[in-house]
Amino acid sequence: MYRISELAVEVGLSRTALLYYEKQNLIEGRRLSNGYRVYSESDLQRIRLIRQLQAGGLTLKECKACLEAKVDRKLLQSRLHKLDDEIAQKQQSRQLLAAMLGEGNLKEWHENTNKIAPDAHLDWLMKQGFSEKEALRLKWLSKDMNEHEQYMAEFMTVFEALDRWAPGSESETLKALSLLPEQPKVILEIGCGKGLATTVLANNTTASITAVDNEQSALTRLSDRFEADGLASRLTTVCASMTTLPFSEASFDLLWAEGSAYIMGVTKALSQWKPLLDDGGILMLSDLVWLTDTPNEEAIEFWKHEYPDIQTVTTRIKQMEIAGYDVINNFTLSRQAWQNYYEPLKLRIEEVQPEMQGSQVLKEISKEVDIYSNYLGQFGYQMFILRKCR
């Protein structure tokens, strides 16, 4: 016979647990004349059998049913399926934790997190030690904080030698400029890069231009070029993030943003940049859009990963109107504007291929080139000329 404290030691349960077992009629103790509660060897073995059944994930109630009748196979199958689901979930959890420790790929996790919580994702990346510039590049380019440094090194190997990092052309920058309702006097260009559009704006207006980018080396090259062209007096360069522009309200009559608003999100850009315009000021913004309501599934799948917020022209216009703008005009970039970007890029891929065998960057760029070659026309860049509502 075992007193309850002795039985607890034997089976590795607490006194409270044993009393609960007894309340559920799983064991049956009896009280001696001296007041002690005792249990039999049968109770001991019954508890051990229950513990073995519990190891399969059965509840006490289910264990009791198994003890009192033939095993219910449907019950066991249900428990097995549930256990398989739990194991799969635990395995996913383990893979994520391992990846965060640098032992796996985090790309899918970053993509999903950026899709459902873009601002929180960016803040979290910066708390992990990335500057805002690097965090934004991680969101849109490497998509894996463990591989980011190597990815960006390979990315820059490809792109540093190229003038254009996105589709565009001088003629279409001029076309957008010609559609402005009046000549600008004070321009803010957001995300100027190497200054291709900046040069067009300078040569075709008399406005003073403030060019903003988060890459100081690009701004330095732009300043040097303007100095050589005798235009330096009209240019101010500012190294800053487009998400926190350091300018007073109503400072500009024209904001120019070719292919840059997507970095912070178009709707967010529409809202945050609006106060910088004076009353009736103009925002020229370009964005990648769907040009059809029925794009090919391969194109959909590609842009779902590369630009989850891609919208139709109609949807973007509605967003712009809701944000407090009148849409004065809009047009689609020509095929030539895309060729200006992709043809040099294809040549550059061929040039670096021998030294970058197996590069993830080259693999992804080649896929983008294929999507461009096969489906351009289903998507494209749209130039929007917007007036801030008075």
Side-chain angles (χ1 to χ4, degrees), residues 56-320:
L58 300 180
T59 65
L60 277 179
K61 183 178 180 180
E62 291 164 347
C63 289
K64 183 180 179 182
C66 288
L67 291 174
E68 294 176 352
K70 189 175 181 180
V71 169
D72 184 341
R73 292 186 60 82
K74 287 186 178 180
L75 169 64
L76 296 187
Q77 287 173 346
S78 174
R79 280 295 170 193
L80 182 59
H81 292 324
K82 183 178 179 181
L83 187 59
D84 285 340
D85 291 341
E86 291 174 355
I87 290 171
Q89 181 59 53
K90 294 292 185 185
Q91 187 61 34
Q92 289 180 4
S93 299
R94 188 197 182 284
Q95 289 172 354
L96 173 57
L97 293 176
M100 286 185 169
L101 289 168
E103 300 174 13
N105 190 299
L106 272 175
K107 186 170 184 177
E108 183 177 353
W109 182 84
H110 279 296
E111 286 183 344
N112 290 337
T113 306
N114 190 48
K115 184 176 181 179
I116 63 175
D119 294 340
H121 182 225
L122 179 62
D123 290 342
W124 184 81
L125 287 172
M126 292 170 67
K127 286 182 172 64
Q128 307 316 303
F130 293 96
S131 66
E132 184 182 53
K133 179 173 75 174
E134 287 304 309
L136 288 169
R137 285 178 168 180
L138 194 156
K139 278 162 59 80
W140 291 110
L141 296 172
S142 70
K143 303 187 181 78
D144 188 337
M145 64 189 205
N146 295 328
E147 304 294 334
H148 180 69
E149 186 175 347
Q150 177 63 32
Y151 187 99
M152 287 309 304
E154 294 180 2
F155 181 89
M156 296 306 292
T157 297
V158 176
F159 279 91
E160 273 184 331
L162 299 175
D163 289 330
R164 288 195 178 274
W165 286 23
S169 72
E170 179 178 336
S171 63
E172 279 158 303
T173 297
L174 278 170
K175 179 178 178 180
L177 195 57
S178 72
L179 294 172
L180 301 183
E182 57 268 331
Q183 279 289 305
K185 297 177 181 178
V186 189
I187 301 173
L188 173 63
E189 186 186 5
I190 303 170
C192 65
K194 294 186 176 182
L196 297 177
T198 321
T199 303
V200 176
L201 294 173
N203 288 332
N204 293 276
T205 72
T206 58
S208 61
I209 302 172
T210 300
V212 174
D213 203 272
N214 61 8
E215 181 59 58
Q216 182 58 55
S217 62
L219 294 173
T220 300
R221 290 195 296 272
L222 177 58
S223 295
D224 291 344
R225 190 162 69 250
F226 268 57
E227 183 72 37
D229 293 342
L231 298 170
S233 63
R234 292 171 51 205
L235 177 71
T236 301
T237 60
V238 177
C239 188
S241 167
M242 68 176 64
T243 64
T244 52
L245 293 169
F247 307 110
S248 301
E249 293 188 2
S251 295
F252 306 95
D253 57 11
L254 174 63
L255 303 188
W256 198 273
E258 287 195 40
S260 61
Y262 81 94
I263 295 172
M264 62 182 291
V266 171
T267 55
K268 189 174 181 179
L270 291 170
S271 173
Q272 288 194 9
W273 297 348
K274 185 180 176 184
L276 301 177
L277 286 169
D278 60 17
D279 288 342
I282 302 297
L283 168 60
M284 201 305 296
L285 177 153
S286 67
D287 186 41
L288 186 74
V289 295
W290 290 120
L291 299 174
T292 174
D293 292 328
T294 56
N296 182 275
E297 285 298 324
E298 185 179 15
I300 292 173
E301 184 65 21
F302 177 80
W303 291 117
K304 181 175 73 175
H305 294 287
E306 297 304 314
Y307 187 25
D309 190 38
I310 185 173
Q311 304 290 344
T312 63
V313 174
T314 301
T315 298
R316 278 290 183 238
I317 289 176
K318 287 180 181 177
Q319 292 173 339
M320 291 164 178

Side-chain angles (χ1 to χ4, degrees), residues 1-3 7 10-11 26-30 38-49:
M1 305 298 290
Y2 300 90
R3 285 188 290 184
L7 183 61
E10 288 289 335
V11 297
L26 292 167
I27 57 176
E28 186 176 351
R30 62 187 180 88
V38 295
Y39 300 86
S40 67
E41 178 69 20
S42 175
D43 290 320
L44 171 66
Q45 294 193 23
R46 189 176 175 87
I47 292 172
R48 286 176 173 168
L49 177 55

